[in-house]
Amino acid sequence: MAGYEYVSPEQLAGFDKYKYSAVDTNPLSLYVMHPFWNTIVKVFPTWLAPNLITFSGFLLVVFNFLLMAYFDPDFYASAPGHKHVPDWVWIVVGILNFVAYTLDGVDGKQARRTNSSTPLGELFDHGLDSWSCVYFVVTVYSIFGRGSTGVSVFVLYLLLWVVLFSFILSHWEKYNTGILFLPWGYDISQVTISFVYIVTAVVGVEAWYEPFLFNFLYRDLFTSMIIGCALCVTLPMSLLNFFRSYKNNTLKHNSIYEAVVPLFSPCLLFILSTAWILWSPSDILELHPRVFYFMVGTAFANSTCQLIVCQMSSTRCPTLNWLLVPLFLVVLVVNLGVASYVESILLYTLTTAFTLAHIHYGVRVVKQLSSHFQIYPFSLRKPNSD
């Protein structure tokens, strides 16, 4: 497995022909963030590799996730009567979240500035973004947490899936239309949440206990914004872009089956993980919510990365992700009834296996494409210039 090659020769040939095509119509992005990023990128030295900027931003997101896991391991820290997360932690998380978002916006500009744009850079960026979804959502959850004033772990599980499906819709669009339509929700959510973290440090989590309007609580506003953005903005725009491509006869796949193949694995992942929750003899989501979210998010990221590789190389997306096989077996075992500690062991084992498998996939794909394009992933030097 150490030398396994995930990218086929056909896909490598497809990467050689790849041309980046994206559309960004978000006013916040166009008129506020892009001018800001154009200024920020000038601060970076020209020898700094764009992929290093991308990876640094991702590490900040992971750090926030781990920091909040330390201070709020079971999502009860924001509930009444519990020891709250220190104010300075909210400030750090808010600042680092905005910095990570800024680095994610600057990396592409640094690539064009240094004339070092490659398909690997785009794949690396979007691949890490797919994994960042779970880190971002789970970290945000600590603002409200669970308890009488918070959001239940099952509701957050559903909200996580709303975010995950919103993310993959953009790449499903590109798989079918050849154009990446950047979603509006990403920029708005990143700026808003960074601000809310700082506000939480100032006013305290108790401020979120109060009604926002009449009996409409802030936690209800939180869930409504996520669901509303997905149903009223992301989904309609995705379907509209798909329909326009269909009307213009520019769809890359002629049959409905081939068009929806990339959604098979995410949908099956949702079905299996939900079945586990509903059939769990020990109520596994209540017992280990953070680990369960991470398991789901990692498996989702792996499927999304495979979709991105196929979309960029103009090859067919795999029908199913092999990571779903062990998950299916675990769900079967759980349905037969197991002891609480056995179910916990299964969850931790599966999560570890998914994480190692996904890291292995990412490292091998980066090495393959680096070798193919004869570049160093984290340096602007060429191998033949050593």
Side-chain angles (χ1 to χ4, degrees):
M1 280 295 289
Y4 186 82
E5 295 188 343
Y6 292 97
V7 184
S8 68
E10 179 188 4
Q11 289 173 330
L12 290 175
F15 274 108
D16 288 333
K17 304 172 185 176
Y18 176 74
K19 299 292 182 183
Y20 179 66
S21 179
V23 175
D24 189 355
T25 58
N26 183 2
L28 174 62
S29 176
L30 292 176
Y31 301 113
V32 179
M33 299 316 303
H34 277 293
F36 173 68
W37 295 332
N38 287 333
T39 301
I40 294 296
V41 74
K42 297 175 183 177
V43 176
F44 294 104
T46 54
W47 51 260
L48 185 61
N51 287 341
L52 192 57
I53 297 176
T54 303
F55 193 57
S56 298
F58 173 73
L59 290 180
L60 292 181
V61 174
V62 175
F63 177 80
N64 276 352
F65 174 84
L66 296 176
L67 184 65
M68 202 57 69
Y70 177 79
F71 286 100
D72 184 23
D74 53 7
F75 300 112
Y76 277 114
S78 293
H82 288 74
K83 183 179 179 181
H84 296 330
V85 174
D87 293 340
W88 67 266
V89 174
W90 294 117
I91 295 175
V92 169
V93 170
I95 292 174
L96 293 185
N97 188 79
F98 187 77
V99 172
Y101 166 55
T102 300
L103 294 178
D104 190 39
V106 163
D107 53 7
K109 297 183 181 298
Q110 176 74 349
R112 289 183 287 274
R113 178 174 174 241
T114 57
N115 195 29
S116 58
S117 298
T118 65
L120 173 60
E122 181 184 343
L123 174 61
F124 192 67
D125 185 3
H126 294 162
L128 290 181
D129 285 345
S130 69
W131 207 7
S132 294
C133 288
V134 65
Y135 295 112
F136 168 69
V137 173
V138 175
T139 303
V140 169
Y141 184 34
S142 288
I143 294 176
F144 302 95
R146 57 212 273 203
S148 58
T149 61
V151 179
S152 74
V153 289
F154 185 71
V155 169
L156 194 277
Y157 166 78
L158 297 178
L159 293 178
L160 172 61
W161 269 109
V162 170
V163 173
L164 296 180
F165 275 120
S166 296
F167 180 88
I168 203 171
L169 269 179
S170 295
H171 295 283
W172 172 77
E173 282 179 72
K174 190 177 181 184
Y175 180 76
N176 285 287
T177 67
I179 301 173
L180 179 64
F181 296 92
L182 300 175
W184 284 27
Y186 174 68
D187 296 284
I188 296 173
S189 64
Q190 291 298 313
V191 173
T192 301
I193 291 301
S194 297
F195 176 74
V196 170
Y197 282 136
I198 303 299
V199 170
T200 302
V202 175
V203 303
V205 294
E206 294 84 0
W208 309 123
Y209 300 166
E210 304 299 324
F212 169 70
L213 184 66
F214 302 113
N215 292 324
F216 193 71
L217 303 178
Y218 279 101
R219 68 180 182 188
D220 302 321
L221 179 64
F222 167 67
T223 58
S224 298
M225 286 180 64
I226 293 178
I227 296 174
C229 183
L231 295 181
C232 300
V233 180
T234 304
L235 181 59
M237 291 183 69
S238 292
L239 295 178
L240 178 61
N241 292 328
F242 182 88
F243 180 73
R244 283 174 176 170
S245 185
Y246 169 77
K247 291 289 289 185
N248 296 331
N249 200 29
T250 57
L251 283 178
K252 302 180 73 174
H253 304 280
N254 296 324
S255 70
I256 295 178
Y257 176 83
E258 290 298 332
V260 300
V261 159
L263 301 180
F264 287 175
S265 287
C267 288
L268 183 55
L269 174 61
F270 172 73
I271 293 171
L272 290 175
S273 57
T274 304
W276 188 349
I277 293 171
L278 298 178
W279 293 342
S280 172
S282 64
D283 207 350
I284 193 68
L285 188 62
E286 289 286 341
L287 202 60
H288 304 290
R290 190 178 293 272
V291 179
F292 198 92
Y293 297 146
F294 183 73
M295 181 271 294
V296 169
T298 302
F300 169 85
N302 190 262
S303 293
T304 305
C305 285
Q306 292 186 32
L307 166 60
I308 296 172
V309 168
C310 295
Q311 147 216 301
M312 293 180 67
S313 61
S314 296
T315 54
R316 188 180 186 275
C317 185
T319 304
L320 292 176
N321 188 330
W322 70 269
L323 289 182
L324 299 179
V325 175
L327 176 59
F328 173 74
L329 295 176
V330 167
V331 172
L332 282 182
V333 171
V334 167
N335 188 42
L336 296 175
V338 294
S340 175
Y341 76 92
V342 173
E343 189 174 10
S344 297
I345 292 174
L346 288 173
L347 173 61
Y348 275 86
T349 302
L350 194 64
T351 303
T352 301
F354 280 6
T355 303
L356 293 177
H358 187 52
I359 291 175
H360 183 267
Y361 176 85
V363 170
R364 290 303 308 165
V365 169
V366 168
K367 285 187 175 181
Q368 269 192 270
L369 291 180
S370 297
S371 176
H372 180 73
F373 290 108
Q374 296 186 337
I375 58 175
Y376 288 123
F378 298 112
S379 173
L380 295 180
R381 293 184 300 114
K382 298 288 185 179
N384 56 12
S385 67
D386 292 343

